[in-house]
Amino acid sequence: MVLKRFWKLIILLIVIITILVTYFVHTALVIASQFPELEIKTIRGDETILKNMTISGDYYEGDQYSSALMVSLDNTTYYEELSYFEKRDPRFPPNEATELKDKYRNFMRGKIYQSSSYFENDDYLAYVGAEVSDWTPNFLPTYHLEVDVLNKESNTSTSFQTILPGMDEIQYVDVLEVHMDKKELKVIVNVNYYLNDQYVNDIKVYTMDISSEKIVGDQTLFDPLEQSDKDKWSNLTFLNDLSAIDSTDNLLLQKDIGQYKEVNHSDDYEGEISTELMERKFYVYDLKTNQQQELLIPENHYDKLLSNEIHLDGSVSDTHAYITYEDGNNLVVLSFNLDNLEIDTQQTFDLKELGMEAEDYGINLIDDKLYVLDNDMQKSTKIFVGDITNGEVLYQGEIVLENDEDKSGDVSLQFYTITKNE
Amino acid sequence: MIEVKDITKRFGRKKILNGVSFTANKGEITCLIGINGVGKTTILNAIMNLTPINRGEILIDGEKIRKESYERITFIPDAITMLPSMKISDAMQFMADFYQSWNQKRADEMIEFFKLDKNDRLSTLSKGNSAKVNMLLGLALDVDYLLMDEPFSGIDIFSREQIADVFTSHLVENRSVIITTHEISDIEHLIDKAVLLNDGVVLREFNAEEVRENEGKSIIDVMREVYQP
Amino acid sequence: MKNYLKLTNFELSRFFKLYVVLIGLTLVMQTVGIIWMSNTYMGSVEGLLLEGNTAELIKMNLGTFSFSTLTTSLLFSGPIIICIASLLIYVFLIWYRDWFGKNTFVYRLFMLPTARMNLFFAKATSIFLMVLGLVSLQLVFILIESQIAKLIVPTTYMESQNLNQIINGFDYMRVLYPTTLIEFLINYGIGFMAVFVIFTGILFERSFRLKGILFGILFAGISLFVFISPILLQVTILEGFFYPVELFILMVITGLIVIAGSVWISNYLLNKKIRV
């Protein structure tokens, strides 16, 4: 009787529940098996060297599905497989800044999750973020620095805002590094603006006094007028690792100087302007002493450094600065002793011999070790770890699909970086 | 007893009702009389909480209307209140579904009395039959109070007679009825109490019997006095 | 409770014929679409085969047959749009049809010996059920249609796609068919909250007529403001203070506040202010 009376309601309910439950069960199963498991296959060496390391990149299947992913020795995590709430996290793969959020939940509220904006030691966690507070009538952002320092012991924080002194009409600001020493905070900032109609990127070191909440020192590392020269151009590159919270006292900077040249010039049409690189210099800046010194590069490396564009990389520790470049099939790592600024060791890794024949590489220098990934879109990715103190190849491996048979040739992987989980 | 106490109702700036008060006693037929547009229907709507009033109050047996009250009081508007697509039997089933006070036996009896076919669709009914179904749906409820809005308007003479017969039958016995009309000739002899309305106010409320006995006047006589002085 | 179920069933019945027509229209148009499109595709394939091309070459030039050929065509989305539009209109009609039309059914509804809010809930429930019903049946239709395509187009030329790939290949389908239950609840929760707010707006109009339209719009505006207030706070004065999970919880709360407000005001209007 009830069935007969309410049949429309009952049928509709049954249809909805059956179909939707089936759909969500099906979808959950599809999503769970959507992406292949990957494994790091060891070719040579001890795989424990990759313990606590995360390799991140992208996964492509045809042109339909793709997902960011990270691989470690134990598991593979695809962004698309994360839960709804995990996907709301600000970064994938997580970086050191996002990890801080779990530990210092209140302090980390409303902050930019860029590792270079943070400094952490046993006593303090410091943050300096370049934030846009307003827009000028001619659509330029008004930047200020948001400073927040947490005293871990007392669990209190000092926060204040400050403008960038002496700067107006800024186009873009990026915090490159934060460093704290006792009560003094050093902030290295990249400030972009127009000077004499030329776009310049100015690297500045601000010294802040936490107790008085003021900028007490303002140093410009290179004269911006050099960059605004119309005939000669100059470009600054900051080589410290932006994706990690650096603990070193040193900054490594690269300065390129070049000139504009007109090519293909003929009477009929105006030639294109091309640029020619003339000089390339490397500098180390010591945050403790505020001293900037140039690395001494021997003649035989200089030309190769000058002609290398893509594979040039660098990193710096308390005692050494490292510069890598590609020379034919070789990846060369120069290590400079910061006491005398001269090369003390030099290592060469034969990429071809290591099976790395990609167009591009992901190179990471972590704790005296060189981690190299081939960067091409392929079904598998080669990886090797070398010791930069003695040139030894510590590990050689390959990231491959666990069950290769299931997936047809449509799958490709591309990995970019290796990071260390703290 | 239904007590209407000093109710005022405005539509925009216009006052439709302006301090109307009267009572309808148990077991009596009370007739609200007045030309069209004096707010008779509004009063019935207000009693049934189908329109809000601006001032005053209405009590049914001393209480404000609640959802349970609809088992004890019902309203038969001037048109049928069921979906046109329904058959008479569907409409009856709908009533039976929702009202505990629905009396199926009485409904069937009235189908017979009115000579209706349960399988007819409401949309196909003549005006007279439509009015009869409308009556039926209200009268088949075992309620204490019945409100009827112009039950005789616009229907043929035979249907009118049939409906008028209802009032003298057991169908209305022992129930209180409030009825509105602008032509009272059909039911004058049945009315216990008359409430004469004009311009949103009660001009006179009187007991028909008393007036007849004491003053020797019929309701129509009183109406003449009141409306055409 | 019993009366609520009776009323819900009754409300469903009132729209059921049209509802079945909508379902039928969707199935027929989409089926015709997939038959037509797979035949057209196979027509070209056979033409090219006659010219002496190999299957590999044809696949390269013509591409394989993908179900998204159908999902991106008007024969597929047309009926969906018609269904959405019909239900949107019905959100209003479900109330107004009781006032207008030959017989004013609203007299009867308001004189039922049951809480008037049951009417509100019954109408809301039938809208929800009809929406979910169409959404569910469309899933089945996609499966049926892809089977039909497989009958016409040989596997060699068929792009293999599962249900989720079909859904992912089409933007608005992803809103209708999220892959996680939580997103489903969010999307449809917001939709149903909007239905509640619109219902309250309609009751404002039915209570105060012309002036009520203004109240209704005002109520909708306040509801929207309350609902998104956590986001507004987040992007203005708090500057990203809340974590995503907190923001989610806050919006669940503001959503519930909006629903509660809508129910409370509707109850008040239905009992104190409504006019027949």
Side-chain angles (χ1 to χ4, degrees):
Chain A
M1 186 62 204
V2 176
L3 276 176
K4 209 181 144 212
R5 276 256 300 280
F6 292 141
W7 70 271
K8 288 180 185 115
L9 183 58
I10 291 166
I11 285 184
L12 200 52
L13 274 172
I14 290 174
V15 165
I16 292 168
I17 292 169
T18 319
I19 297 176
L20 289 183
V21 166
T22 315
Y23 171 74
F24 281 113
V25 170
H26 168 83
T27 307
L29 291 175
V30 166
I31 286 181
S33 62
Q34 186 178 16
F35 299 109
E37 278 296 304
L38 302 180
E39 66 175 335
I40 303 174
K41 214 170 69 187
T42 304
I43 296 169
R44 186 150 72 93
D46 182 7
E47 65 167 22
T48 52
I49 201 152
L50 291 179
K51 218 178 144 190
N52 293 327
M53 304 303 279
T54 302
I55 306 165
S56 43
D58 286 322
Y59 169 85
Y60 299 92
E61 191 181 317
D63 45 359
Q64 264 223 326
Y65 272 154
S66 72
S67 171
L69 83 163
M70 50 188 194
V71 177
S72 66
L73 275 184
D74 314 316
N75 53 21
T76 312
T77 311
Y78 289 91
Y79 176 75
E80 293 297 335
E81 282 182 352
L82 295 180
S83 76
Y84 177 77
F85 291 109
E86 285 168 331
K87 279 186 184 170
R88 303 273 95 62
D89 276 338
R91 292 279 167 119
F92 184 89
N95 62 18
E96 289 183 57
T98 56
E99 277 154 21
L100 285 172
K101 152 178 93 76
D102 303 325
K103 231 166 131 190
Y104 304 103
R105 200 171 163 80
N106 275 320
F107 178 78
M108 293 298 286
R109 283 181 187 282
K111 302 225 177 341
I112 296 166
Y113 296 99
Q114 180 180 314
S115 297
S116 61
S117 276
Y118 293 86
F119 172 84
E120 190 182 14
N121 62 16
D122 293 342
D123 306 321
Y124 294 101
L125 174 59
Y127 165 83
V128 180
E131 293 180 10
V132 177
S133 45
D134 206 359
W135 293 84
T136 65
N138 44 353
F139 305 110
L140 282 178
T142 309
Y143 275 98
H144 68 265
L145 295 178
E146 189 81 39
V147 184
D148 202 350
V149 178
L150 177 74
N151 183 325
K152 287 184 180 177
E153 202 190 357
S154 65
N155 200 19
T156 53
S157 63
T158 313
S159 63
F160 59 96
Q161 292 182 351
T162 168
I163 53 152
L164 294 117
M167 292 276 164
D168 39 53
E169 306 245 311
I170 298 167
Q171 300 281 331
Y172 178 68
V173 176
D174 199 12
V175 175
L176 300 174
E177 183 84 56
V178 176
H179 197 272
M180 198 163 148
D181 194 14
K182 285 168 201 136
K183 283 277 172 189
E184 223 172 49
L185 196 63
K186 290 256 168 77
V187 185
I188 296 82
V189 183
N190 184 6
V191 189
N192 295 265
Y193 54 93
Y194 280 96
L195 186 63
N196 302 332
D197 290 337
Q198 291 291 110
Y199 195 74
V200 299
N201 63 332
D202 203 350
I203 293 181
K204 304 193 68 114
V205 178
Y206 291 121
T207 310
M208 296 179 183
D209 180 45
I210 300 303
S211 46
S212 68
E213 304 185 356
K214 269 195 185 112
I215 291 184
V216 291
D218 172 4
Q219 193 181 357
T220 303
L221 291 195
F222 298 94
D223 186 359
L225 277 171
E226 219 173 83
Q227 291 184 55
S228 70
D229 190 322
K230 282 207 168 56
D231 303 317
K232 254 168 73 181
W233 57 265
S234 130
N235 185 45
L236 293 174
T237 313
F238 188 72
L239 293 175
N240 290 49
D241 189 0
L242 289 179
S243 64
I245 299 177
D246 273 346
S247 49
T248 168
D249 296 330
N250 298 310
L251 308 179
L252 181 61
L253 296 137
Q254 174 190 338
K255 183 168 132 186
D256 293 344
I257 296 162
Q259 67 179 13
Y260 295 106
K261 212 171 77 173
E262 215 171 329
V263 291
N264 294 337
H265 182 80
S266 72
D267 293 339
D268 297 338
Y269 73 112
E270 263 186 70
E272 299 166 33
I273 302 288
S274 92
T275 62
E276 188 189 33
L277 185 62
M278 287 157 60
E279 274 180 73
R280 174 162 277 166
K281 290 175 176 168
F282 296 89
Y283 296 91
V284 170
Y285 182 88
D286 188 333
L287 288 165
K288 278 211 166 107
T289 59
N290 294 346
Q291 286 286 313
Q292 179 168 295
Q293 287 170 300
E294 193 184 338
L295 295 181
L296 304 172
I297 296 174
E299 201 67 38
N300 58 332
H301 291 295
Y302 185 76
D303 288 343
K304 281 169 188 156
L305 279 173
L306 203 59
S307 61
N308 246 293
E309 270 309 327
I310 320 167
H311 301 126
L312 199 65
D313 223 319
S315 104
V316 64
S317 71
D318 284 343
T319 56
H320 284 81
Y322 304 99
I323 290 169
T324 64
Y325 69 88
E326 203 187 342
D327 177 21
N329 288 324
N330 294 326
L331 190 64
V332 179
V333 184
L334 306 176
S335 86
F336 294 84
N337 189 325
L338 294 185
D339 290 336
N340 56 15
L341 305 167
E342 281 175 8
I343 293 180
D344 62 3
T345 55
Q346 168 198 336
Q347 309 301 342
T348 304
F349 297 93
D350 187 333
L351 293 171
K352 202 165 188 181
E353 203 174 86
L354 290 162
M356 314 276 283
E357 283 172 287
E359 287 283 305
D360 198 4
Y361 302 98
I363 298 167
N364 296 84
L365 277 160
I366 304 165
D367 300 339
D368 289 347
K369 289 184 199 74
L370 177 72
Y371 295 80
V372 181
L373 294 159
D374 65 22
N375 209 192
D376 287 3
M377 271 177 68
Q378 286 161 348
K379 253 178 114 172
S380 65
T381 294
K382 293 247 170 57
I383 171 172
F384 88 83
V385 184
D387 189 324
I388 48 178
T389 55
N390 57 18
E392 201 184 315
V393 174
L394 299 169
Y395 177 82
Q396 225 186 314
E398 191 172 14
I399 304 171
V400 293
L401 306 183
E402 224 166 58
N403 296 308
D404 200 8
E405 308 88 54
D406 313 349
K407 298 276 169 184
S408 50
D410 246 6
V411 171
S412 48
L413 302 167
Q414 186 174 26
F415 287 97
Y416 309 107
T417 54
I418 299 191
T419 47
K420 189 177 166 190
N421 315 332
E422 292 299 328
Chain B
M1 189 170 63
I2 296 175
E3 296 163 85
V4 173
K5 291 181 176 172
D6 194 23
I7 61 171
T8 296
K9 169 77 187 169
R10 280 189 299 265
F11 280 125
R13 291 223 182 99
K14 204 173 151 210
K15 269 190 182 164
I16 296 293
L17 303 174
N18 192 3
V20 169
S21 302
F22 66 90
T23 55
N25 297 320
K26 237 180 182 156
E28 287 186 354
I29 296 180
T30 305
C31 189
L32 304 182
I33 302 167
I35 50 162
N36 280 333
V38 294
K40 292 174 302 204
T41 307
T42 307
I43 293 171
L44 298 188
N45 281 340
I47 294 172
M48 297 304 288
N49 190 23
L50 297 172
T51 195
I53 49 174
N54 302 95
R55 195 159 57 88
E57 78 178 334
I58 297 164
L59 301 175
I60 297 157
D61 291 338
E63 284 178 352
K64 285 194 172 174
I65 198 157
R66 293 176 292 139
K67 62 174 194 271
E68 294 80 7
S69 312
Y70 295 110
E71 296 277 16
R72 292 193 292 117
I73 179 167
T74 203
F75 177 33
I76 304 170
D78 60 350
I80 202 159
T81 57
M82 286 287 177
L83 299 175
S85 58
M86 286 176 164
K87 289 178 186 168
I88 295 176
S89 56
D90 295 335
M92 285 165 68
Q93 183 58 48
F94 184 89
M95 295 299 283
D97 271 352
F98 287 99
Y99 292 92
Q100 288 177 338
S101 55
W102 178 256
N103 186 329
Q104 188 64 40
K105 222 180 96 201
R106 190 188 292 161
D108 289 336
E109 197 184 309
M110 287 173 78
I111 290 279
E112 206 122 299
F113 177 80
F114 285 137
K115 296 183 179 62
L116 294 165
D117 183 348
K118 271 189 183 182
N119 291 319
D120 283 345
R121 280 198 192 280
L122 301 184
S123 55
T124 63
L125 295 178
S126 67
K127 263 194 175 168
N129 279 350
S130 191
K132 287 175 200 166
V133 173
N134 194 22
M135 274 292 187
L136 182 157
L137 294 175
L139 289 172
L141 292 169
D142 281 331
V143 290
D144 301 334
Y145 299 98
L146 263 172
L147 314 184
M148 294 185 208
D149 193 17
E150 305 274 0
F152 300 105
S153 72
I155 50 174
D156 61 281
I157 174 98
F158 302 111
S159 303
R160 257 156 109 147
E161 279 176 1
Q162 269 188 319
I163 290 171
D165 283 345
V166 166
F167 285 88
T168 51
S169 73
H170 65 287
L171 294 167
V172 172
E173 231 171 18
N174 296 327
R175 306 213 235 178
S176 312
V177 178
I178 299 180
I179 187 168
T180 71
T181 188
H182 60 280
E183 40 176 344
I184 78 156
S185 48
D186 291 295
I187 49 162
E188 192 190 348
H189 58 288
L190 304 168
I191 294 170
D192 297 308
K193 189 179 206 178
V195 180
L196 304 187
L197 291 152
N198 199 21
D199 283 338
V201 293
V202 175
L203 297 180
R204 190 153 171 204
E205 177 188 0
F206 61 95
N207 189 302
E209 192 83 359
E210 279 171 24
V211 168
R212 210 169 7 244
E213 274 180 17
N214 300 346
E215 304 176 31
K217 288 173 187 164
S218 69
I219 297 173
I220 294 176
D221 294 334
V222 180
M223 282 171 68
R224 278 205 196 91
E225 274 174 28
V226 170
Y227 291 116
Q228 294 172 323
Chain C
M1 187 63 191
K2 192 118 190 265
N3 279 333
Y4 157 74
L5 286 177
K6 283 181 203 162
L7 282 168
T8 307
N9 194 53
F10 182 75
E11 287 291 348
L12 276 177
S13 310
R14 291 173 77 187
F15 193 62
F16 213 69
K17 272 186 201 147
L18 215 71
Y19 188 59
V20 171
V21 168
L22 284 177
I23 293 169
L25 180 86
T26 309
L27 183 61
V28 168
M29 274 180 81
Q30 293 183 348
T31 309
V32 166
I34 194 70
I35 291 173
W36 180 54
M37 280 165 181
S38 20
N39 275 326
T40 313
Y41 175 81
M42 280 320 287
S44 335
V45 168
E46 273 151 27
L48 287 168
L49 279 174
L50 279 178
E51 286 169 27
N53 293 296
T54 61
E56 283 306 309
L57 205 67
I58 293 170
K59 273 200 276 185
M60 250 167 62
N61 289 330
L62 214 55
T64 46
F65 186 79
S66 153
F67 197 77
S68 57
T69 322
L70 176 68
T71 50
T72 49
S73 84
L74 205 62
L75 276 169
F76 184 83
S77 52
I80 294 179
I81 292 165
I82 292 171
C83 287
I84 292 173
S86 308
L87 286 177
L88 275 180
I89 293 170
Y90 199 61
V91 166
F92 290 88
L93 220 57
I94 201 169
W95 288 102
Y96 283 104
R97 66 185 295 184
D98 291 337
W99 267 267
F100 302 112
K102 200 167 156 233
N103 304 341
T104 41
F105 191 52
V106 70
Y107 275 90
R108 185 84 275 146
L109 291 177
F110 284 167
M111 290 193 297
L112 292 176
T114 179
R116 287 180 182 173
M117 269 318 268
N118 277 338
L119 284 175
F120 182 95
F121 290 127
K123 285 177 193 292
T125 311
S126 21
I127 295 278
F128 300 166
L129 288 179
M130 286 191 283
V131 169
L132 293 175
L134 279 175
V135 164
S136 318
L137 285 172
Q138 178 65 74
L139 279 175
V140 177
F141 293 169
I142 289 175
L143 289 178
I144 295 173
E145 289 148 14
S146 68
Q147 286 307 316
I148 293 175
K150 275 181 197 158
L151 285 179
I152 299 171
V153 181
T155 355
T156 6
Y157 299 104
M158 196 78 194
E159 191 174 308
S160 81
Q161 280 174 304
N162 64 28
L163 185 63
N164 293 82
Q165 283 165 320
I166 290 171
I167 288 165
N168 253 298
F170 204 18
D171 273 344
Y172 74 75
M173 300 256 289
R174 247 180 295 192
V175 180
L176 294 178
Y177 302 107
T179 47
T180 58
L181 190 63
I182 183 91
E183 282 167 280
F184 184 85
L185 294 177
I186 292 170
N187 292 2
Y188 286 88
I190 291 172
F192 294 157
M193 179 182 74
V195 170
F196 271 59
V197 171
I198 293 172
F199 273 15
T200 308
I202 293 169
L203 292 178
F204 266 117
E205 192 279 335
R206 287 290 83 198
S207 298
F208 305 106
R209 302 296 197 263
L210 221 55
K211 232 194 288 170
I213 297 177
L214 209 75
F215 294 156
I217 291 170
L218 202 69
F219 174 74
I222 292 169
S223 297
L224 180 71
F225 180 78
V226 170
F227 179 60
I228 64 167
S229 58
I231 295 181
L232 293 178
L233 279 176
Q234 175 84 336
V235 299
T236 55
I237 45 173
L238 292 181
E239 293 171 349
F241 179 83
F242 297 122
Y243 287 117
V245 175
E246 296 168 342
L247 202 59
F248 172 80
I249 293 168
L250 284 173
M251 288 193 74
V252 167
I253 292 170
T254 54
L256 289 175
I257 290 172
V258 167
I259 289 172
S262 163
V263 167
W264 187 77
I265 291 172
S266 298
N267 185 41
Y268 172 77
L269 291 173
L270 276 170
N271 286 315
K272 301 278 193 234
K273 293 292 173 198
I274 204 82
R275 293 187 214 169
V276 290

